Each structure stands twice: as C-alpha cells, then as structure tokens.
Amino acid sequence: MNTKPIGILDSGVGGLTVVKEMMRQLPHEPIVYIGDTARCPYGSRPSEEIKQFTWELTRYLQKFDIKMLIIACNTATAVALPEIRAELSIPVLGVVHPGARAAIKISRGYHIGVIGTEMTIHSKAYEKALKSIRKKTKVTGLACPKFVPIVENGEIESQETKQIVAETLAPFNNEKLDTLILGCTHYPLLQPVIEEYFGNNVKIISSGEETAREASVILDHTNMLNKSNEQPEHIFLTTGSVDRFKQIAENWLGTNDLQVENVQL
Ligand code: I24
Ligand code: DGL
C-alpha cells in the first residue's frame, strides 16, 4: 500500500494523453502533473536545453514526494531519460520503451515506422529501443514537425489536415511497414486520419497508452499500488496560463473541477 502520488511531466498539455490513460487504467492513483507550457514545444530545441528543462520539471515534482516518475513527453524521454533514471531512487518511466515493446509484440513483418518531433527522430531513441529488443528489426523514422501545430490549432479532421498528413507520410509509400509507432504525445489525436491514410495494413501503436500499462505492472510488482478505494486527488501544474491549461485539460479529461496551479521554475 502506497498513497504517494505519481509524478508525470511533459513539455506542455500533450502529456494529458498519458494522464487520461493513467486515470483509466489506475483510477485510484493520485497524480501530480507538470506541463511546461511556457516553453513548449521542446521538439525543435537543442538536446542540452531539453535536458535542463526536464531536470527542472523533475526537481519540482520531487517536492511532492512522488513514488514514480513518468516522463510523458517523447522528446524529453528520448534525450533525458537515462540521466534522470540514473540519479533518482524511484522508478522512472519514459514513453519510448513501452511503445517499442508493444510494437515488437504486435509486428509480424518487423518493419516498424516511427513518427515524432525532429529531436525524437534525430536521437534514434526508438530505433535503439526496438533493436535492443529485437536486433533484426527494420526501423524507418520520420520527423513530422507539422503535426503538433495542427493538433494545437484544433484542426484534427479538416481536409487540409488530411492533405498535410498525406504529404508528410508520403516517404513511407515505398516502405512496407506493418506497424507504426506514434512517437509524440499529440499524435493520438490524429490517429483516425493516420489510420485512414494507411488503411488496414499498418497497425498503430500509441506510446502513452502502453506506458500506463507498464506503470501499472511496475506498481503492482513492487507492491506500490494505492489500495484505497477513495477517489484520488490530482494536482495539475503549468508554467503558463492556468485558464488555458484548465480549459484544454478539462475538455480532454471530461471533467470540470481540476485543480490547476501556475508554477515558476
Ligand atoms: N491541443 C493542444 N495544445 C493546445 C490544443 C491546444 N489548443 C487547442 N487544442 N495548445 O495539445 C497548446 C498551447 N497552449 C497550452 C495551454 O496553455 C496555453 C498554450 C493537444 C492536447 C492533447 C490532450 C485542441 C484540444 C483541446 C482540448 C482537448 C484536446 C485538443 F482544446 F486537442
Ligand atoms: N510532448 C512532445 C513530444 O511528445 C511534443 C510537443 C513538443 O515538441 O514539446 O515529443
């Protein structure tokens, strides 16, 4: 039994896709979420800067005596996970390995595509994770820098979005992918459009969903689940506007009473 909260960090609001899955799969676990909306996006920044920002978010969450840290941002996971895990004494989970494992599990042809921000693709973090599990996996990475702005503009199913998705994914046309990893917090919102583009031939993995599953397994195995049946209290922290964060988070999570506070790092 362990009533301490789980810390979840992200570059902004995209990590709420992981939070939603966590609340669904682990409904009794209290969460402290921190989103660096003031400095979002991270995906096009230099890796040293991403590491520094991720450390600042981690240090802030440590004030809450968290029992586990989830780095919900693919970009932050890709560049900062190893050093943060090395220094913390609690379990530290990123979104990359759970996504990679799920892709290997479902793939039949072992030709796996990965889409993400420029830094996530440049880092080859998914490629390394996939090949560490199964050496003879063919991995094709593709940066999709236009996708985050599309989602943030709320244009999730417009004709223009379908067009941009098709143009961006065109490099995959000559590749016989059988599985595609959505290696960015925002991409699950584009999943219907991406699925439509590929048809039924490509299986799609959403890393955030898999990460919640992994968190559940780790908490169970280490006897850290919160066994109380109470409705847990969650805390949401943002480095930017509380009102805008609250609006997006409440809409996405389907509630109207979130506790949201501004923090200065
Ligand atoms: N979706 C995201 N980011 C935004 C947005 C959005 N605005 C509308 N929608 N803005 O990410 C980012 C910049 N903001 C953040 C808050 O502080 C000020 C700056 C995707 C979120 C995924 C959970 C569209 C939208 C929405 C509600 C839910 C989902 C969604 F309004 F995509
Ligand atoms: N959260 C980021 C990710 O998953 C996307 C937004 C950003 O670039 O900060 O890679």
Side-chain angles (χ1 to χ4, degrees), residues 13-14 16-17 37 151-152 154 156 186 189 244-245 248 251-252:
V13 290
L16 293 169
T17 52
T37 28
V151 173
E152 297 200 344
I156 289 162
H186 288 54
L189 286 104
R244 289 175 69 192
F245 185 98
I248 293 169
N251 177 306
W252 178 245

Side-chain angles (χ1 to χ4, degrees), residues 159-253:
Q159 268 316 314
E160 207 189 331
T161 293
K162 288 183 184 176
Q163 175 96 29
I164 293 172
V165 167
E167 280 168 12
T168 307
L169 299 179
F172 285 134
N173 287 352
N174 306 322
E175 313 248 352
K176 292 197 169 58
L177 299 185
D178 72 289
T179 304
L180 178 74
I181 299 175
L182 306 181
C184 175
T185 49
H186 288 54
Y187 299 177
L189 286 104
L190 292 175
Q191 189 162 341
V193 181
I194 295 170
E195 255 162 18
E196 185 180 279
Y197 176 77
F198 282 109
N200 289 330
N201 309 325
V202 176
K203 300 177 201 83
I204 295 182
I205 298 295
S206 158
S207 290
E209 199 174 311
E210 306 301 334
T211 302
R213 204 190 314 278
E214 185 125 321
S216 167
V217 170
I218 291 172
L219 290 177
D220 193 6
H221 282 182
T222 54
N223 202 22
M224 286 204 293
L225 283 168
N226 186 349
K227 302 262 167 56
S228 100
N229 289 326
E230 317 256 308
Q231 188 91 304
E233 255 184 60
H234 306 302
I235 301 171
F236 293 86
L237 307 168
T238 170
T239 56
S241 153
V242 166
D243 289 343
R244 289 175 69 192
F245 185 98
K246 205 165 158 26
Q247 207 179 343
I248 293 169
E250 289 186 342
N251 177 306
W252 178 245
L253 300 173

